[in-house]
């Protein structure tokens, strides 16, 4: 067998020999693009582009490479593709042990990592969860025969099975079983497949508490990465929380025993009649839902008994419960810092793996523009050649024409930039005729004048005072609505002033600058809502409708004070994570709702609990005003409402007692566990809101950032006319002309600005800059050492 045959058949571990006919995660390299390998000639560095050999190609020498260009081209495309995969795995925090290591594993890997398969997986997961609406006990209008929802369930499970089978193909059995999340998903899938087949065969539903595990499939989908991170943070916070819960329950047990011996012999005191009653009563008292009812019998017997309850509440509620929040916050902030450190190291490792695949024997210390373009065709396939060149030039701070390892680490920061020609600070109307230009400059001076803002703020305050006065009069004087119809001009005046402000700012700042400012967009939307409300009031003469819409104007108050801007800015920063937290809460509700339906759907709460303290709440008599018998688990929707009432805590023990008297006393465990779980989740939500708010304030102080719009990452790069001609030329290739920048000295340059919103990772990088250096030194800069490869 000759040398070329050996080179074609041998595959090193970690190197994929696949061509450009396969699709990438983000798209497919266009066949019409200039292939970076199909360029002739020798560049100024003396590297013959015909046989630029990959460093990981051991069997191919330079003489053989001259006669095997097609093989060499395929090999470079394989490296480009694999390098792009490594970068995406680093960016998405995907473990590298799931990286495909052979050509056989690649097709399954690429199919699973396409947008359409992501969507299919998400739809299958949502379908499985939605089946709870039509499965017994079903919502009446959605009830379906067993064969219908059973078949739909089997369809969803088959789709998820396909994803797991393809994952098994590229991971192999050993890695598949060692991946915890995948293993849990596979076990759950097998259980549900067996149950789904059983339901279809028997054509009847049975006790299926395992339906509560269906959210596992949703959590594992690509689009729920934020949900997985939130769940992971909850699980990582569990150990210190358990320690605090043990302390809480320890003191509760001591007070329960003490309370039983002190108050069990008081006539009519049902709260401490038995030791189990004492435990349940003090557990509910920890939530304050039964206070002071639980204290009154003992307080009637002796006023000194109040000392017991006051001491208990001070220790349990005001000290230990707040201590739980403090411990969770400390743990959470520590995890955020540790998570950032690990993500930073993971991204750098992705860069190291990609770097090794992009260097050649002729240039083993840096990535050339040729191979960078090849990488970007897979990593960012929709970027134009000009933008790719701008990205390369921005990264190449050494101006050598080759990206070093340290420079390549910044690819995550620069690859996502959106590039545009930098415009001068001239007014947008300067190109218009003379009078328009002068008027535009005058308006610009007016809207940027500090007293203009003071005037607008005064108008907002006056509008608030008038709205409060009008609301008070409307609520106290039944004839005020008729009189107020003659004072609509006041609202018209305020709306006109807001509208004039918007028009002046658009003309003075220019449409682009105005609508790229977040607070201006906020003002614009509020003004549009005010105009709609005023117009509705004038046209329909419905004063009540106008009153409902008018308070929207007062939202502009949030921009008057820096503290308000911090609160509002924190809300924008938190929106993605709040969305993830909301999904986690819904998953918790779904889990407990399914269990509740299986356990309590047959409970009849009407006129239950006769002879108990909660009897009146479940009475169906005409004079009853409570209707607590509606808080059932008869279907998934009613279960959700009941669980939300339990989350609010107020009178939650009445719902618990109703089900305890209707079924069994052991059912109280279900409600207590639900309270503890929701308490943990809500405590973590509060902790990350606190962390985000304090982090924003620290960023504003350290980085002199006072507004949300300033959280923008930008970079400026100059291109000469010759470089622009190369970027846009269809006949000349930029690769032939650009190993260095020495040929592009010109006075005629165009400045380009690349911008993107700063992520929280960017802000952490700035805030913890000193810590990052310590982390890198502590790890011995292993990634840089790994990137140094000797030429064999």
């Amino acid at each position: 067998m000759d040398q070329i045959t050996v080179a074609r058949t041998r595959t090193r571990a970690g190197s994929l020999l696949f061509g450009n006919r396969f699709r990438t995660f983000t798209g497919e390299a266009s066949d019409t693009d200039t292939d970076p390998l199909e360029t002739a000639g020798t560049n100024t560095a003396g590297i013959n582009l015909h046989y630029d050999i990959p460093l990981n190609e051991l069997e191919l020498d330079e003489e053989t490479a001259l006669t095997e260009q097609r093989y060499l081209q395929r090999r470079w495309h394989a490296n480009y593709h694999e390098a792009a995969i490594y970068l995406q795995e680093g960016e998405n925090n995907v473990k590298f042990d799931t990286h495909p290591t052979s050509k056989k594993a690649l097709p399954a890997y690429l199919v699973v990592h396409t947008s359409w398969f992501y969507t299919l997986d998400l739809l299958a997961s949502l379908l499985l969860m939605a089946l709870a609406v039509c499965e017994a006990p079903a919502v009446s209008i959605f009830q379906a025969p067993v064969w219908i929802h059973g078949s739909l369930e089997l369809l969803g499970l088959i789709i998820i099975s396909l994803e797991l089978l393809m994952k098994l193909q590229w991971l192999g059995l050993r890695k598949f079983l060692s991946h915890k999340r995948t293993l849990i998903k596979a076990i759950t899938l097998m259980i549900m497949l067996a149950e789904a087949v059983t339901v279809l065969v028997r054509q009847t539903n049975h006790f299926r508490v395992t339906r509560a595990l269906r959210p596992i499939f949703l959590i594992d989908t690509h689009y729920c990465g934020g949900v997985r991170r939130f769940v992971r943070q909850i699980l990582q916070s569990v150990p210190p929380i358990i320690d605090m819960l043990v302390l809480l329950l320890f003191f509760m047990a001591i007070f329960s025993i003490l309370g039983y011996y002190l108050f069990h012999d008081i006539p009519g005191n049902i709260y401490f009649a038995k030791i189990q009653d004492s435990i349940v009563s003090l557990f509910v008292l920890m939530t304050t839902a039964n206070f002071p009812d639980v204290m009154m019998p003992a307080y009637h017997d002796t006023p000194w008994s109040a000392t017991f309850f006051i001491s208990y509440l001070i220790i349990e509620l005001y000290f230990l419960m707040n201590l739980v929040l403090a411990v969770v916050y400390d743990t959470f902030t520590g995890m955020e810092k540790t998570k950032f450190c690990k993500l930073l190291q993971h991204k750098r490792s992705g860069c190291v793996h990609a770097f090794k695949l992009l260097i050649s024997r002729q240039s083993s210390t840096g990535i050339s523009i040729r191979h960078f373009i090849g990488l970007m065709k897979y990593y960012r396939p929709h970027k134009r050649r000009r933008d790719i060149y701008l990205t390369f030039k921005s990264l190449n701070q050494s101006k050598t024409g080759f990206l070093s390892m340290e420079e390549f680490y910044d690819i995550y920061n620069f690859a996502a930039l959106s590039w545009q020609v930098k415009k001068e600070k001239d007014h947008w109307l300067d190109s218009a005729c003379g009078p328009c230009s002068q008027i535009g400059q005058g308006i610009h001076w007016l809207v940027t004048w500090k007293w203009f803002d003071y005037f607008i703020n005064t108008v907002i305050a006056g509008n608030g005072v008038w709205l409060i006065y009008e609301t008070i009069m409307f609520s106290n004087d039944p004839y005020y609505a008729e009189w107020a119809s003659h004072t609509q001009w006041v609202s018209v005046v305020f709306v006109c002033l807001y509208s004039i402000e918007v028009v002046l700012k658009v003309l003075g700042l220019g449409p682009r600058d105005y609508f790229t400012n977040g607070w201006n967009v906020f003002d614009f939307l509020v003004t549009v809502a005010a105009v709609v409300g005023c117009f509705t009031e004038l046209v329909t003469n419905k004063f009540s409708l106008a009153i409902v819409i008018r308070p929207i104007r007062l939202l502009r108050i949030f921009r008057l004070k820096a503290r308000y801007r911090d609160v509002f800015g924190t809300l924008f920063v938190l929106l993605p994570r709040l969305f993830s937290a909301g999904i986690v809460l819904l998953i918790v509700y779904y889990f407990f709702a399914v269990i509740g339906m299986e356990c309590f759907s047959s409970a009849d709460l009407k006129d239950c609990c006769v002879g108990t303290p909660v009897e009146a709440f479940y009475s169906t008599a005409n004079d009853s005003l409570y209707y607590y018998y509606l808080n059932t688990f008869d279907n998934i929707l009613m279960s959700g409402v009941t669980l939300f009432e339990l989350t609010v805590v107020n009178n939650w023990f009445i719902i618990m007692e109703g089900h305890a008297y209707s079924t069994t006393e052991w059912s109280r465990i279900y409600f207590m566990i639900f309270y503890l779980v929701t308490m943990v989740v809500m405590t973590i939500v509060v902790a990350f809101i606190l962390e985000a708010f304090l982090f924003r304030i620290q960023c504003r102080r350290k980085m002199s950032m006072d507004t949300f719009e300033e959280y923008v990452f930008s970079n400026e790069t100059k291109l000469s006319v010759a470089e622009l001609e190369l970027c846009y030329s269809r006949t000349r290739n930029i690769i032939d002309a650009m190993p260095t920048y020495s040929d592009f000295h010109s006075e005629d340059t165009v400045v380009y600005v690349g911008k993107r919103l700063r992520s929280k990772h960017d802000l952490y990088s700035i805030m913890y800059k000193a810590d990052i250096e310590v982390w890198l030194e502590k790890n011995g800069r292993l990634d840089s050492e790994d990137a140094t490869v000797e030429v064999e």
Side-chain angles (χ1 to χ4, degrees):
M1 183 179 295
D2 59 15
Q3 190 176 20
I4 299 302
T5 305
V6 173
R8 286 178 175 176
T9 56
R10 178 175 178 178
T11 302
R12 292 188 62 192
S15 178
L16 305 179
L17 298 181
F18 54 88
N20 56 4
R21 62 185 180 274
F22 292 113
R23 292 182 178 271
T24 64
F25 296 135
T26 55
E28 187 176 34
S30 174
D31 294 334
T32 61
D33 293 340
T34 303
D35 194 323
L37 296 173
E38 295 176 350
T39 57
T42 304
N43 58 27
T44 57
I47 299 175
N48 193 316
L49 300 182
H50 278 302
Y51 58 89
D52 192 14
I53 304 174
L55 193 63
N56 59 352
E57 178 55 68
L58 301 181
E59 300 294 337
L60 200 64
D61 57 26
E62 296 180 3
E63 181 179 356
T64 307
L66 287 172
T67 61
E68 290 295 323
Q69 285 297 296
R70 299 304 300 174
Y71 167 70
L72 188 61
Q73 180 179 340
R74 288 196 302 269
R75 186 56 184 265
W76 270 118
H77 274 288
N79 282 12
Y80 298 154
H81 200 162
E82 187 174 8
I85 292 175
Y86 272 122
L87 290 179
Q88 289 169 345
E89 288 175 335
E91 186 176 12
N92 298 326
N93 199 21
V94 178
K95 293 182 178 180
F96 297 123
D97 56 4
T98 63
H99 187 87
T101 56
S102 67
K103 182 178 178 179
K104 181 180 178 181
L106 183 68
Y109 183 88
L110 295 180
V111 168
V112 172
H113 290 84
T114 53
S115 57
W116 66 267
F117 198 92
Y118 289 153
T119 304
L120 185 63
D121 189 29
L122 177 64
L123 292 177
S125 303
L126 292 175
L127 172 64
L128 290 175
M129 293 185 64
L131 289 177
V133 177
C134 55
E135 294 172 331
V139 180
S140 56
I141 60 175
F142 296 109
Q143 189 169 6
V146 174
W147 69 270
I148 292 181
H149 65 70
S151 300
L152 291 175
E153 181 181 11
L154 195 59
L155 174 63
L157 293 174
I158 290 174
I159 294 175
I160 295 174
S161 300
L162 292 176
E163 187 261 344
L164 285 177
L165 288 175
M166 285 187 283
K167 199 169 185 178
L168 176 62
Q169 182 177 357
W170 92 69
L171 286 180
L173 182 60
R174 184 174 181 179
K175 288 185 178 179
F176 185 89
L177 295 177
S178 63
H179 196 266
K180 296 179 182 178
R181 193 174 76 240
T182 303
L183 182 61
I184 293 173
K185 183 177 180 179
I187 294 174
T188 305
L189 178 66
M190 289 188 292
I191 294 174
M192 292 190 176
L193 277 172
E195 288 195 335
V197 172
T198 303
V199 169
L200 284 174
V201 172
R202 298 178 62 230
Q203 286 295 300
T204 182
N205 290 296
H206 57 273
F207 184 80
R208 294 188 61 190
V209 73
T210 53
R211 290 187 300 160
L213 301 177
R214 286 174 178 172
I216 290 176
F217 302 132
L218 178 64
I219 294 174
D220 192 59
T221 58
H222 171 77
Y223 297 110
C224 290
V227 177
R228 286 196 298 273
R229 285 190 290 271
F230 193 85
V231 171
R232 192 181 301 115
Q233 287 175 331
I234 292 177
L235 296 178
Q236 290 173 346
S237 301
V238 164
I241 290 177
I242 289 179
D243 293 340
M244 295 307 304
L245 288 180
V246 169
L247 196 59
L248 276 170
L249 296 177
F250 174 75
F251 278 97
M252 188 182 70
I254 292 177
F255 274 89
S256 298
I257 296 172
L258 182 61
Y260 169 74
Y261 284 113
L262 290 176
F263 309 127
H264 78 279
D265 56 350
I266 298 177
N269 191 349
I270 59 173
Y271 299 106
F272 296 93
K274 301 178 181 177
I275 184 61
Q276 57 265 36
D277 295 329
S278 179
I279 294 173
V280 171
S281 297
L282 290 185
F283 185 92
V284 176
L285 179 58
M286 184 176 62
T287 69
T288 70
N290 63 349
F291 189 79
D293 298 358
V294 68
M295 184 183 72
M296 299 318 293
Y299 188 62
H300 177 266
D301 184 69
T302 171
W304 289 102
S305 61
T307 306
F308 172 86
F309 297 95
I310 293 174
S311 301
Y312 176 78
L313 286 174
I314 289 175
I315 295 174
E316 288 279 301
L317 181 63
Y318 296 112
F319 177 67
L320 292 179
M321 290 292 285
N322 288 322
L323 193 59
V324 169
L325 176 60
V327 170
V328 171
Y329 174 75
D330 180 68
T331 304
F332 184 84
T333 52
M335 286 191 304
E336 284 288 291
K337 203 168 182 178
T338 303
K339 182 179 70 175
F340 166 73
C341 176
K342 291 182 178 179
L343 180 59
L344 177 65
Q345 292 289 343
H346 189 70
K347 284 185 173 182
R348 291 172 69 90
S349 297
C351 291
V352 170
H353 289 299
F355 186 84
K356 292 179 182 179
L357 294 167
L358 298 175
I359 55 178
S360 64
R361 295 187 191 177
Q362 289 76 6
S363 175
S364 61
T365 59
I367 302 173
S368 67
I369 179 65
R370 182 160 71 104
H371 300 314
F372 186 78
I373 293 175
L375 166 70
M376 295 298 284
K377 286 178 65 177
Y378 290 100
Y379 184 53
R380 291 289 189 269
H382 303 297
K383 271 190 174 294
R384 294 182 295 177
R385 187 164 61 166
R386 183 207 67 185
D387 295 344
I388 294 175
Y389 179 68
L390 284 166
T391 303
F392 181 87
K393 192 171 182 179
S394 300
L395 288 169
N396 191 209
Q397 296 296 315
S398 61
K399 305 299 181 183
T400 61
F402 294 90
L403 296 181
S404 65
M405 186 71 256
E406 289 296 326
E407 292 172 335
F408 192 64
Y409 283 142
D410 289 329
I411 189 171
Y412 292 115
N413 293 330
F414 290 90
L417 292 179
S418 177
W419 294 93
Q420 292 178 342
V421 177
K422 183 181 180 181
K423 295 183 178 180
E424 299 295 333
K425 293 298 183 179
D426 298 335
H427 192 266
W428 72 290
L429 288 176
D430 284 350
S431 59
C433 58
C436 292
S437 177
Q438 294 177 358
I439 293 173
Q441 292 177 358
I443 295 175
H444 181 269
W445 173 84
L446 176 64
V447 296
T448 56
W449 189 32
K450 66 176 182 179
W451 289 101
F452 181 81
D453 281 339
Y454 292 159
F455 172 75
I456 295 299
N457 294 340
T458 303
V459 171
I460 296 174
N463 190 9
V465 172
W466 172 257
L467 181 61
I468 294 173
Y469 168 77
E470 199 172 35
T471 304
I472 294 174
M473 295 299 296
F474 182 78
S475 63
N476 293 293
D477 188 351
Y479 301 101
Y480 181 76
E482 181 179 349
W483 174 83
S485 61
H486 302 290
T487 61
Q488 293 179 347
W489 62 270
V490 178
S491 295
V492 173
V493 169
F494 282 118
V495 173
C496 287
L497 289 174
Y498 293 151
S499 302
I500 291 172
E501 180 208 6
V502 169
V503 173
L504 289 176
K505 284 192 172 183
V506 171
L507 293 175
L509 302 176
R512 181 181 180 84
D513 291 341
Y514 180 84
F515 287 105
T516 53
N517 182 290
W519 285 111
N520 287 338
V521 173
F522 174 74
D523 290 344
F524 177 79
L525 295 177
V526 172
T527 302
V528 169
V531 171
V532 171
C534 186
F535 180 77
T536 304
E537 181 181 353
L538 293 174
V539 173
T540 63
N541 291 321
K542 292 183 178 181
F543 182 74
S544 58
L545 179 61
I547 283 292
V548 172
I549 299 177
R550 284 180 187 178
I552 296 176
R553 308 174 201 168
L554 299 185
L555 292 175
R556 299 189 60 173
I557 293 176
F558 280 105
R559 68 170 300 173
L560 299 183
K561 192 175 177 60
R563 186 69 64 185
Y564 295 156
R565 293 197 295 270
D566 284 332
V567 173
F568 220 64
T570 302
L571 177 63
F572 282 108
V573 172
L574 282 177
L575 277 179
R577 303 186 70 184
L578 285 176
F579 181 73
S580 300
I583 293 179
V584 171
L585 281 174
L586 289 177
I587 289 174
V588 171
Y589 278 17
Y590 187 92
F591 179 84
F592 280 93
V594 170
I595 297 176
M597 287 189 298
E598 296 292 348
C599 297
F600 308 122
S601 60
S602 60
D604 184 10
L605 300 181
K606 292 183 178 180
D607 295 314
C608 71
C609 311
V610 178
T612 67
V614 298
E615 176 183 0
F617 294 94
Y618 293 94
S619 174
T620 58
N622 293 332
D623 57 347
S624 176
L625 301 176
Y626 296 108
Y627 307 107
Y628 270 70
Y629 54 82
L630 298 176
N631 297 317
T632 64
F633 292 87
D634 290 346
N635 57 59
I636 190 70
L637 299 182
M638 297 185 72
S639 299
V641 174
T642 302
L643 292 174
F644 185 79
E645 293 183 33
L646 294 173
T647 304
V648 176
V649 174
N650 188 34
N651 285 344
W652 72 276
F653 70 97
I654 297 176
I655 301 175
M656 178 180 69
E657 292 301 316
H659 286 84
Y661 285 117
S662 300
T663 56
T664 172
E665 291 186 357
W666 292 102
S667 63
R668 293 190 179 99
I669 297 176
Y670 167 86
F671 295 92
M672 291 181 178
I673 292 177
F674 175 77
Y675 171 79
L676 292 176
V677 171
T678 52
M679 182 192 72
V680 169
V681 175
M682 294 306 297
T683 301
I684 293 177
V685 170
V686 172
F688 86 72
I689 289 176
L690 283 173
E691 190 271 339
F693 182 75
L694 294 177
F695 182 79
R696 175 180 167 79
I697 293 177
Q698 292 172 1
C699 285
R700 182 168 60 84
R701 291 174 179 173
K702 186 172 183 177
M703 303 162 59
S704 300
M705 291 183 173
D706 189 49
T707 60
F708 184 75
E709 296 78 28
E710 294 173 357
Y711 287 85
V712 176
F713 178 82
S714 63
N715 181 75
E716 294 186 5
T717 300
K718 294 180 181 180
L719 293 186
S720 66
V721 175
E723 288 174 301
L724 285 173
E725 289 178 354
L726 285 173
C727 288
Y728 290 104
S729 174
R730 293 184 178 272
T731 58
R732 299 181 63 194
N733 197 293
I734 194 173
I735 300 169
D736 292 327
M738 216 298 292
T740 66
Y741 305 99
S742 58
D743 300 330
F744 294 132
H745 291 302
S746 174
E747 295 181 358
D748 297 328
T749 59
V750 179
V751 179
Y752 283 86
V753 179
K755 291 183 178 181
R756 65 173 174 81
L757 290 177
R758 293 185 188 271
S759 64
K760 196 169 184 181
H761 183 86
D762 298 322
L763 299 179
Y764 271 122
S765 298
I766 298 173
M767 291 293 295
Y768 301 140
K769 186 176 181 180
D771 294 330
I772 290 175
E773 296 178 358
V774 175
W775 293 335
L776 295 178
E777 292 178 1
K778 183 178 180 180
N779 286 275
R781 296 188 179 270
L782 295 178
D783 46 4
S784 296
E785 294 175 4
D786 290 341
T788 304
V789 183
E790 296 295 334
V791 180
E792 300 180 5

